[in-house]
């Protein structure tokens, strides 16, 4: 794929924002010089091009190739193949760079080449099975193309945690709530679930979680049904619901729409917590009824957003 094609590949991203809330996503397919095919949500990709000169600097973490200057901003460049276990020797890799935004952070990802953009239903995006255990911690989902080829969607949050370490959580004030107040949250990233749980523990609230939107909706329906049977209010058990935007089987937009359309969950705020930090995603969150939107991952901002909603 030449430079002109790469430019054309991403020109229509803004026009695709209406996909959010339709339980569909568009994935940019790419390779790392092996026979595997990988994918990344198009919303996270700002541009694709040939790899520029990378300045090597001392004491860089494993997998970080160095730094580049991109329109006046200095950003780190990561070689994605360095984080994956692979049996075969990769071909020439790193000649193409994807510039992506995660959690308000701009990064360069070195890949072998990019292929094309495909549109898939989230319900066809599944969590990886244990057979993929060698890279299971770095692969957040799998989807199948029409020709039967599998596409692995990487857990970039876990890759960034492996490269730069996880942010320390300090000085979070407890919420002024009773001991039975609970939060339900859904996120498909292992590292995100761990950090969210740590924040909620610091806030002093009980919590339950699900690993994707479909599982979350199933569990929430069960909680709603039990509340109806016992004559209780769901809000007595769940004071707030925290959802990720991107999740296998059902995304956070559809999950929010389902919650807001079910009278049993009336009065329960829904907060979207996502590495998709563009204004388009904020707007789509509001369109389906999200009460607040927090970009990953700033523990203090997350806590400060949740605390008043829990205390009201």
């Amino acid at each position: 794929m030449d430079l002109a094609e790469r430019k054309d590949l991403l020109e229509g991203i803004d026009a695709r924002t209406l996909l959010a809330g339709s339980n569909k996503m568009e994935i940019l397919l790419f390779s790392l010089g092996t026979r595997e095919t990988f994918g990344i949500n198009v919303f996270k990709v700002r541009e694709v091009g040939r790899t520029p000169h990378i300045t090597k600097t001392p004491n860089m973490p494993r997998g970080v190739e160095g730094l580049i200057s991109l329109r006046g901003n200095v950003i780190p460049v990561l070689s994605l193949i360095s984080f994956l276990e692979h049996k075969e020797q990769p071909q020439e890799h790193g000649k193409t760079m994807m510039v992506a935004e995660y959690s308000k952070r701009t990064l360069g990802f070195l890949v072998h080449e990019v292929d094309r953009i495909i549109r898939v239903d989230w319900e066809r995006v599944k969590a990886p099975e244990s057979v993929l255990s060698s890279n299971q911690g770095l692969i957040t989902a799998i989807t199948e193309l029409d020709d039967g080829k599998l596409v692995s969607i990487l857990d970039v949050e876990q890759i960034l945690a492996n490269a730069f370490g996880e942010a320390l959580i300090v000085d979070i004030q407890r919420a002024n709530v009773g001991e039975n107040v609970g939060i339900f949250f859904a996120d498909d990233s292992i590292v995100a679930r761990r950090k969210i749980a740590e924040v909620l523990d610091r806030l002093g609230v009980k919590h339950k979680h699900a690993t994707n939107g479909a599982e979350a909706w199933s569990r929430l329906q069960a909680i709603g049904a039990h509340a109806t049977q016992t004559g209780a209010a769901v809000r007595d058990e769940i004071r707030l619901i925290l959802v990720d935007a991107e999740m296998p089987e059902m995304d956070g937009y559809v999950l929010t729409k389902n919650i807001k359309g079910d009278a049993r969950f009336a009065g329960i705020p829904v907060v979207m917590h996502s590495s998709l930090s563009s204004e388009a995603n904020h707007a789509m969150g509001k369109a389906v009824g999200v009460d607040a939107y927090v970009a990953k991952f700033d523990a203090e901002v997350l806590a400060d957003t949740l605390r008043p909603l829990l205390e009201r």
Side-chain angles (χ1 to χ4, degrees):
M1 180 177 293
D2 62 27
L3 289 173
E5 289 175 315
R6 291 191 187 103
K7 181 181 178 183
D8 292 341
L9 193 67
L10 301 175
E11 278 184 344
I13 289 179
D14 289 341
R16 297 184 175 102
T17 55
L18 292 179
L19 283 178
S22 66
N23 213 38
K24 295 179 184 291
M25 71 177 296
E26 288 194 333
I27 301 172
L28 174 61
L29 302 182
F30 63 92
S31 70
L32 296 177
T34 65
R35 286 175 290 183
E36 297 170 277
T37 300
F38 297 91
I40 185 173
N41 191 327
V42 165
F43 280 116
K44 292 180 175 176
V45 182
R46 287 175 46 178
E47 59 186 270
V48 178
R50 295 193 184 281
T51 300
H53 173 72
I54 299 173
T55 300
K56 303 284 186 180
T57 57
N59 302 319
M60 277 289 180
R62 181 181 71 85
V64 180
E65 296 293 302
L67 304 171
I68 64 167
S69 177
L70 184 70
R71 283 180 286 282
N73 296 312
V74 176
I75 67 171
V77 178
L78 289 74
S79 174
L80 290 182
I81 193 67
S82 300
F83 296 93
L84 300 175
E85 296 180 20
H86 49 88
K87 296 179 181 178
E88 57 183 306
Q89 183 65 31
Q91 307 167 16
E92 175 192 1
H93 67 281
K95 64 181 183 181
T96 301
M97 186 180 73
M98 300 187 302
V99 178
E101 182 178 340
Y102 276 83
S103 308
K104 297 184 177 180
R105 180 187 229 173
T106 303
L107 306 131
F109 294 134
L110 298 185
V111 302
H112 178 58
E113 60 183 4
V114 296
D115 183 3
R116 65 190 189 278
I117 290 173
I118 61 168
R119 182 174 295 185
V120 298
D121 293 317
W122 270 114
E123 61 189 20
R124 292 183 58 189
V125 180
K126 306 295 183 183
E129 301 293 339
S130 58
V131 69
L132 300 170
S133 57
S134 61
N135 286 319
Q136 190 174 13
L138 297 178
I139 295 175
T140 190
I142 299 286
T143 192
E144 184 177 357
L145 303 182
D146 292 337
D147 61 6
K149 180 181 292 186
L150 296 179
V151 176
S152 299
I153 300 174
L154 297 178
D155 185 347
V156 178
E157 290 163 12
Q158 183 66 61
I159 289 174
L160 296 182
N162 289 356
F164 301 111
E166 296 182 20
L168 295 177
I169 296 178
V170 296
D171 297 333
I172 289 181
Q173 178 185 344
R174 291 177 67 88
N176 185 22
V177 295
E179 61 180 16
N180 292 323
V181 168
I183 283 181
F184 187 95
F185 70 89
D187 201 299
D188 63 320
S189 169
I190 295 172
V191 66
R193 291 197 299 271
R194 183 166 61 246
K195 302 308 286 185
I196 291 168
E198 188 175 348
V199 169
L200 300 182
D201 289 340
R202 297 287 188 94
L203 283 170
V205 296
K206 300 192 303 182
H207 48 86
K208 300 177 179 179
H209 75 267
T211 60
N212 63 60
E215 178 193 344
W217 182 231
S218 177
R219 294 190 64 186
L220 288 169
Q221 285 181 304
I223 292 170
H226 182 262
T228 299
Q229 290 174 355
T230 60
V234 175
R235 196 172 185 276
D236 293 338
E237 181 175 352
I238 300 173
R239 187 67 58 86
L240 183 146
I241 300 172
L242 181 67
V243 302
D244 186 17
E246 300 175 280
M247 293 182 287
E249 300 187 41
M250 180 188 292
D251 67 18
Y253 300 101
V254 174
L255 176 59
T256 299
K257 186 185 293 185
N258 288 346
I259 294 167
K260 292 297 184 178
D262 191 321
R264 296 173 298 183
F265 301 99
I268 299 176
V270 177
V271 176
M272 183 163 281
H273 184 229
S274 175
S275 59
L276 297 171
S277 52
S278 73
E279 289 302 318
N281 290 287
H282 286 236
M284 287 311 305
K286 290 182 180 179
V288 296
V290 166
D291 295 278
Y293 195 109
V294 183
K296 290 181 180 175
F297 186 82
D298 187 317
E300 286 73 24
V301 171
L302 177 60
D304 289 345
T305 301
L306 299 181
R307 192 181 297 104
L309 294 173
L310 290 167
E311 294 176 346
R312 72 184 187 184

